């Protein structure tokens, strides 16, 4: 069994350690770096050409589909993820991410006979639910990247987030109005 010896008597299973990689990514990237990437991603036109880019758009839009708020792709999440992978992740980890992406696509083709982006929305949802319940490494990483990218984007901050509790006290039952919407003036 693959275990890691941490400090003292604490040991961690390899799979458990891998589950914390997205958290480690979020912690190692400073807010300034994330906002800089969000600014650049906002102005980028993302037209998926490759199978990986089409998978990325389909995946992020299943995690955060368009409702009364913009979908993940409308908020610039795919461009953000590509910038983040290029600038914040080591080449080895980036290669591992793309290898996992290819394995995800192969698994989808094996299970359904189609690429993920070719499946119906309900089939995509069913496929993701199963893999997320199984704690699939790629799905967990891309879900975390999607959420980080979305809520770092200007559209995610201004159109999806409603209450800014800082400065001041936190009130979880505040009535949301135009005055309580989050402002993202640094874009």
């Amino acid at each position: 069994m693959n275990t890691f010896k941490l400090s003292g008597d604490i040991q961690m299973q390899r799979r458990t350690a891998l589950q914390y990689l997205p958290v480690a990514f979020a912690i190692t990237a400073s807010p300034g770096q994330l906002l800089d990437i969000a600014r650049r991603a906002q102005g980028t036109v993302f037209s998926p050409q490759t199978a990986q880019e089409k998978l990325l758009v389909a995946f992020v839009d299943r995690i955060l589909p368009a409702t009364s708020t913009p979908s993940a792709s409308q908020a610039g999440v795919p461009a953000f993820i590509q910038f983040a992978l290029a600038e914040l992740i080591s080449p080895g980890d980036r290669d591992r991410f793309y290898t996992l992406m290819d394995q995800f696509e192969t698994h989808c083709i094996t299970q359904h006979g189609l690429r993920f982006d070719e499946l119906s929305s309900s089939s995509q949802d069913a496929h993701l639910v199963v893999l997320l319940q199984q704690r699939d490494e790629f799905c967990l990483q891309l879900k975390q990247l999607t959420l980080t990218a979305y809520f770092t984007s200007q559209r995610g901050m201004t159109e999806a987030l409603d209450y800014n509790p800082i400065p001041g006290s936190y009130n979880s039952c505040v009535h949301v109005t135009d005055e309580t919407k989050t402002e993202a003036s640094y874009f």
Side-chain angles (χ1 to χ4, degrees):
M1 186 173 296
N2 293 330
T3 59
F4 294 99
K5 183 93 166 165
L6 299 174
S7 63
D9 294 329
I10 301 172
Q11 291 188 357
M12 183 179 284
Q13 299 295 330
R14 184 179 64 82
R15 286 194 179 275
T16 305
L18 291 174
Q19 291 171 4
Y20 293 104
L21 283 178
V23 175
F25 160 75
I27 291 171
T28 59
S30 73
Q33 287 174 309
L34 293 176
L35 291 173
D36 178 56
I37 289 173
R39 268 188 224 104
R40 286 185 288 134
Q42 177 186 5
T44 302
V45 176
F46 188 84
S47 343
Q49 304 296 321
T50 67
Q52 285 183 332
E53 290 172 343
K54 291 175 183 175
L55 165 65
L56 183 61
V57 170
F59 188 101
V60 301
D61 280 345
R62 291 319 317 145
I63 297 297
L64 291 167
T67 56
S68 60
T69 60
S71 70
S73 63
Q74 292 169 332
V77 169
F80 179 101
I81 290 173
Q82 284 195 325
F83 282 130
L85 288 172
E87 297 175 21
L88 300 177
I89 307 294
S90 72
D93 289 340
R94 184 174 42 251
D95 292 343
R96 171 96 174 117
F97 179 85
Y98 285 118
T99 299
L100 290 172
M101 181 183 265
D102 291 340
Q103 290 172 358
F104 174 87
E105 190 78 324
T106 301
H107 179 262
C108 188
I109 292 169
T110 302
Q111 294 291 317
H112 305 283
L114 296 169
R115 291 190 336 251
F116 184 76
D117 62 292
E118 297 171 333
L119 295 174
S120 68
S121 296
S122 60
S123 295
Q124 288 175 342
D125 289 344
H127 188 71
L128 286 178
V129 164
V130 169
L131 291 176
L132 287 169
Q133 286 174 343
Q134 294 173 351
R135 312 230 10 108
D136 179 77
E137 180 183 353
F138 171 74
C139 290
L140 292 173
Q141 285 182 3
L142 193 50
K143 180 181 175 185
Q144 181 63 41
L145 281 169
T146 300
L147 294 173
T148 300
Y150 188 79
F151 292 108
T152 305
S153 73
Q154 182 181 24
R155 292 194 74 185
M157 282 186 202
T158 58
E159 296 176 42
L161 295 176
D162 291 325
Y163 180 58
N164 182 6
I166 300 171
S169 62
Y170 176 72
N171 181 354
S172 63
C173 297
V174 69
H175 179 70
V176 177
T177 65
D178 286 339
E179 290 79 40
T180 61
K181 297 288 279 183
T182 302
E183 300 227 2
S185 58
Y186 40 79
F187 281 92

